[in-house]
Amino acid sequence: MRSVFIAICFVLLAIPGWSAVHADPGTAPERVSRGSSLDEGMGAVVISIRSALYLEDRLDVFFLREGGEISNDADVVRFDRKQGMLALGNDTAGHKVRAYQLTPGTYRLVAHGVSCPKVPAENERCLVDASLLFGKEEISRPSRGYPDIAPSFEVRAGEVTFAGDFALTARNTIEWSQIPDDELKRVRGRFDELPRAPDPAIPEEFELKYPVTARSLRDDWNRRY
């Protein structure tokens, strides 16, 4: 009951201040329901985003298109995951497989962040002002920028890319794994008519090391990221 009370207090007091008023960095891609829904010249990407950490706000996972600039939102794709509206516990640790359409190109993982006003640079963390009951406090949020060796996937026009699962772990790192067949089959059949693009390029150090276990708000209360 205590953890439920803490969660309720957090929702009432902290969340409005943590979602600072700013333009969201990057561009959210358009979802597609099946291969026949693709716009001309676009490719499909099937991907899962999840989190072991309790998400006080939306988690953004950023990918930069090869040849682009992080400062240009049009070059940065933002996939996201967030808690359910009525969830008091962590409901983001399970797979959530979605399909999107993207401009052809190679996309590399560059950062993740919660409430970040910009895409974090390599090893950078986000600091935000939280509006609490007795004033404001600067806090760090789950966030990190990644080096050039980070995972990447290729999008080809008229083809489907199975990019895999990108999970935010308790170590404040995004780690990759294959989407289990029982989760993937819910989406895969709707794109069977499309040729398959190459598999993602995943360096060994980014492969998922341990199972993704849901953490609670209490687990990381006042944690510095």
Side-chain angles (χ1 to χ4, degrees), residues 23-218:
D24 292 325
T27 301
E30 181 183 354
R31 284 186 59 182
V32 288
S33 59
R34 57 189 66 254
S36 59
S37 300
L38 278 179
D39 291 342
E40 184 71 25
M42 303 291 278
V45 175
V46 176
I47 192 170
S48 170
I49 302 295
R50 56 185 177 139
S51 175
L53 297 177
Y54 182 94
L55 300 177
E56 304 92 345
D57 205 344
R58 187 186 72 207
L59 166 66
D60 292 320
V61 182
F62 300 100
F63 291 81
L64 175 67
R65 190 173 63 203
E66 185 176 31
E69 299 289 340
I70 287 181
S71 58
N72 182 4
D73 285 342
D75 293 332
V76 179
V77 176
R78 181 184 76 241
F79 299 103
D80 63 51
R81 185 72 185 268
K82 53 188 174 183
Q83 291 284 133
M85 288 292 292
L86 301 178
L88 290 178
N90 183 350
D91 69 347
T92 65
H95 293 87
K96 193 169 187 178
V97 185
R98 295 289 184 266
Y100 303 87
Q101 65 174 6
L102 289 178
T103 301
T106 298
Y107 293 79
R108 174 175 57 86
L109 173 69
V110 289
H112 76 269
V114 174
S115 305
C116 290
K118 68 184 186 74
V119 179
E122 183 176 346
N123 291 324
E124 183 182 19
R125 307 295 193 275
C126 287
L127 297 175
V128 298
D129 290 328
S131 297
L132 303 177
L133 185 60
F134 301 107
K136 289 188 176 182
E137 178 183 355
E138 187 178 66
I139 58 176
S140 61
R141 305 307 313 122
S143 51
R144 184 189 299 271
Y146 297 100
D148 291 345
I149 63 167
S152 63
F153 59 83
E154 182 181 357
V155 177
R156 294 181 176 179
E159 299 186 9
V160 58
T161 300
F162 293 102
D165 175 70
F166 292 82
L168 175 58
T169 72
R171 297 170 293 285
N172 188 35
T173 56
I174 293 289
E175 298 178 16
W176 178 92
S177 62
Q178 295 279 4
I179 300 172
D181 283 342
D182 60 338
E183 298 283 349
L184 188 58
K185 68 182 180 182
R186 303 175 187 180
V187 175
R188 181 170 49 200
R190 293 185 256 131
F191 294 87
D192 280 345
E193 75 270 30
L194 299 182
R196 183 164 176 170
D199 290 337
I202 311 296
E204 183 177 353
E205 54 265 49
F206 282 89
E207 293 180 356
L208 187 67
K209 301 171 181 63
Y210 307 100
V212 177
T213 303
R215 296 170 66 83
S216 69
L217 173 64
R218 184 178 179 182

